[in-house]
Amino acid sequence: MTGTVTGAPAAAGPGHASGYAELVRAVEHGEFGPAPGTQRVTTAFTTRQAVRHEGRGTGYRNEVLSLRLGAAVGSCAAEPGELPAHAVDDCVNTDVARLLRHPLRTVRVAALDAYLMHVLPHTPGNGAQPCPLPAGTSLSRSRARARAVVDLVAGQTDSGGRVLVVGVVNSLLECLRSYGLAYVPCDFKGGTTEWGDLVRTDSLSELEGCDAVLASGMTLGNGTFEPLREHALRHGKPLVMFAQTGSAVLPRMMGAGVTGVCAEPYPFFWLDGGPGVLHRYGGAA
């Protein structure tokens, strides 16, 4: 069975690209705005977090590199402990063109995200639909975000569909279960979920047996995004992204395999308990 793809443009158009490499090339050639060589990052910083929600048996850690370009902040997550200390220094007062060629993929993705956030912010004119995120505890906000994300994939997947989840987040799995959607959890860390499901470590080997894909923006940072996008495009499957990493990057590939994005630019929901907003692409208006 193949999921029903709805709510996304049929093909890449203005402000969009046919894939990640094409998007980088277009930015480097000034097709999305000012030449990246003229745009300098003013601030670079990392955010580290560890969390274990009340009532949950497992926790997790995050480490994110963020770059400030004008009023925009672009981000890319890295595996905790993998980002070298010099990465932050490399980025400060450096133009985006150089950062797009940096040897670290995390820096390259964060720079692209900052540039696209700067020139194509999350506004209705650029295709975004605001989705309020209420104030509350880290767990209540995690669950609210999960509903915003799962609504996108549920609206594009036939009843009884099987969703490949790339990047295990317990609140997302909990929400998929409440919607009656079967899922296959995948994460490089492996292990088991809160409900005892075996977490696969090779998402690409699970694609054929699933009807839709729900993936983290972290796939941009670890290099697994393009195979997911190409498979979804080739087979007409929904591909919905939940994105703190690359929140401004992934909407530019709507219609080129990506059928929905729940974008969450910095500051992320886990940083404070106040109200916030998510930006969804590809859902019903």
Side-chain angles (χ1 to χ4, degrees):
M1 181 181 69
T2 300
T4 303
V5 178
T6 62
H16 292 78
S18 60
Y20 184 78
E22 170 61 20
L23 180 59
V24 174
R25 186 206 65 78
V27 167
E28 288 179 327
H29 285 77
E31 295 177 20
F32 281 79
T38 67
Q39 307 297 300
R40 287 187 175 271
V41 168
T42 57
T43 306
F45 58 97
T46 58
T47 307
R48 295 179 181 178
Q49 177 225 24
V51 63
R52 181 168 171 178
H53 296 304
E54 184 177 356
R56 290 273 170 84
T58 57
Y60 58 91
R61 294 176 59 210
N62 288 312
E63 185 168 349
V64 183
L65 173 69
S66 297
L67 307 182
R68 178 80 176 265
L69 178 64
V73 176
S75 299
C76 182
E79 289 298 322
E82 287 191 357
L83 192 65
H86 67 77
V88 168
D89 294 327
D90 288 353
C91 297
V92 176
N93 196 35
T94 303
D95 65 75
V96 172
R98 287 180 60 191
L99 294 178
L100 291 175
R101 299 291 181 178
H102 194 278
L104 292 175
R105 187 191 302 270
T106 302
V107 171
R108 299 196 299 270
V109 172
L112 181 64
D113 193 38
Y115 178 87
L116 290 170
M117 188 79 70
H118 181 57
V119 299
L120 289 168
H122 297 301
T123 64
N126 290 327
Q129 302 162 22
C131 179
L133 188 64
T137 66
S138 60
L139 179 56
S140 70
R141 300 190 87 215
S142 177
R143 284 172 165 161
R145 182 189 74 146
R147 288 191 296 273
V149 172
V150 173
D151 278 348
L152 283 174
V153 73
Q156 299 181 22
T157 308
D158 296 335
S159 176
R162 186 178 174 91
V163 180
L164 177 64
V165 180
V166 184
V168 170
V169 177
N170 281 326
S171 292
L172 289 176
L173 301 183
E174 179 183 58
C175 194
L176 285 166
R177 292 167 71 91
S178 73
Y179 277 57
L181 288 170
Y183 59 80
V184 177
C186 289
D187 200 291
F188 282 150
K189 292 184 285 292
T192 57
T193 71
E194 194 79 13
W195 301 272
D197 310 304
L198 178 66
V199 177
R200 279 72 162 183
T201 57
D202 182 2
S203 61
L204 303 184
S205 68
E206 303 292 339
L207 281 167
E208 293 296 338
C210 294
D211 307 299
V213 181
L214 178 60
S216 166
M218 286 184 69
T219 55
L220 287 170
N222 63 30
T224 60
F225 167 72
E226 275 295 281
L228 296 174
R229 182 193 65 78
E230 290 169 355
H231 176 89
L233 183 63
R234 186 166 59 250
H235 295 279
K237 293 181 182 179
L239 170 59
V240 172
M241 306 296 301
F242 55 101
Q244 294 176 344
T245 291
S247 80
V249 173
L250 291 160
R252 299 308 113 209
M253 287 175 280
M254 289 285 293
V258 177
T259 62
V261 179
C262 187
E264 185 185 356
Y266 194 93
F268 312 127
F269 80 87
W270 34 266
L271 284 168
D272 69 52
V277 62
L278 304 171
H279 309 276
R280 295 196 297 185
Y281 297 75

